[in-house]
Amino acid sequence: MDATLVLGQQGRLVIPAEVRSALGLSAGDRLHL
C-alpha cells in the first residue's frame, strides 16, 4: 500500500479514508510510525 499523508495546520497527520478503511482504523486508535 502506498499513500501520501498530509500534515495539517495543527501538526496533525491526515490519513486518507481508503487507508483507514483498509487498516480497520477508527478514532482513538494508536499507530506506531
Side-chain angles (χ1 to χ4, degrees), residues 2-26:
D2 185 40
T4 300
L5 303 181
V6 176
L7 189 61
Q9 291 181 0
Q10 295 180 337
R12 296 179 178 151
L13 286 175
V14 178
I15 302 171
E18 313 84 57
V19 175
R20 292 192 314 264
S21 178
L23 296 176
L25 298 175
S26 59

